[in-house]
């Protein structure tokens, strides 16, 4: 399977590329969405750097084969940094920090997967 190397021209493109690559089983393509020293956090798992992120996604794709489309929310930008947000169909939210690269494309630097909303009536 060829690796998708198309770049994200806007921070909001990252979620779309993630979904397409995850559903294609393209681990290398997923890793390519991150800077070399990026951090991915999912529950108790924290993966730092491409090698650990590759292991994380290899394990994830071995357990899960379908990734539903997400609602991509507008990015919050400050120069070459952006916070990206995606709402999953189950209501969970992912929040990421992306950085514009020298070639004009965007890559994630920090990725916090699956923040669960509080049940109705509960407050933080």
């Amino acid at each position: 399977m060829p690796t998708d190397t198309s770049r994200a021209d806007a921070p909001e493109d990252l979620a779309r590329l993630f979904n397409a690559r995850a559903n294609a089983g393209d681990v290398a393509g997923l890793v390519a969405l991150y800077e070399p020293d990026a951090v991915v956090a999912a529950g108790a798992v924290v993966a730092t750097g491409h090698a650990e992120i590759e292991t994380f996604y290899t394990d994830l794709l071995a357990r899960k084969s379908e990734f539903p489309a997400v609602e991509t929310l507008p990015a919050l930008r400050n120069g070459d940094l952006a916070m990206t947000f995606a709402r999953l169909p189950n209501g969970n939210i992912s929040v990421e920090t992306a950085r514009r690269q020298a070639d004009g494309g965007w890559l994630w630097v920090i990725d916090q997967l699956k923040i669960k909303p509080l049940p109705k009536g509960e407050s933080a």
Side-chain angles (χ1 to χ4, degrees), residues 8 17 20 23-24 32 47-48 53 63-64 68 79 81 83 86 90 92-93 96 100 110-111 113 119 123:
L17 291 170
N23 282 313
T48 303
I53 293 169
R63 291 181 277 117
K64 184 173 180 173
L81 293 176
M83 287 184 68
N90 64 6
N92 289 348
I93 302 266
E96 305 84 21
R100 187 184 343 253
I110 301 170
D111 187 352
L113 299 172
S123 60

Side-chain angles (χ1 to χ4, degrees), residues 56-80:
F56 171 77
Y57 282 124
T58 298
D59 293 345
L60 179 65
L61 293 181
R63 291 181 277 117
K64 184 173 180 173
S65 60
E66 186 176 336
F67 294 80
V70 299
E71 176 188 359
T72 303
L73 305 171
L76 179 61
R77 295 185 193 204
N78 183 354
D80 289 337

Side-chain angles (χ1 to χ4, degrees), residues 8-98:
D9 291 321
E12 294 86 356
D13 293 339
L14 289 163
R16 177 185 51 77
L17 291 170
F18 176 91
N19 190 265
R21 293 173 188 186
N23 282 313
D26 185 358
V27 172
L30 290 172
V31 174
L33 296 174
Y34 296 89
E35 287 190 353
D37 294 324
V39 176
V40 174
V45 176
V46 177
T48 303
H50 276 180
E52 290 181 15
I53 293 169
E54 179 179 9
T55 298
F56 171 77
Y57 282 124
T58 298
D59 293 345
L60 179 65
L61 293 181
R63 291 181 277 117
K64 184 173 180 173
S65 60
E66 186 176 336
F67 294 80
V70 299
E71 176 188 359
T72 303
L73 305 171
L76 179 61
R77 295 185 193 204
N78 183 354
D80 289 337
L81 293 176
M83 287 184 68
T84 60
F85 311 90
R87 183 177 298 123
L88 286 67
N90 64 6
N92 289 348
I93 302 266
S94 69
V95 178
E96 305 84 21
T97 302

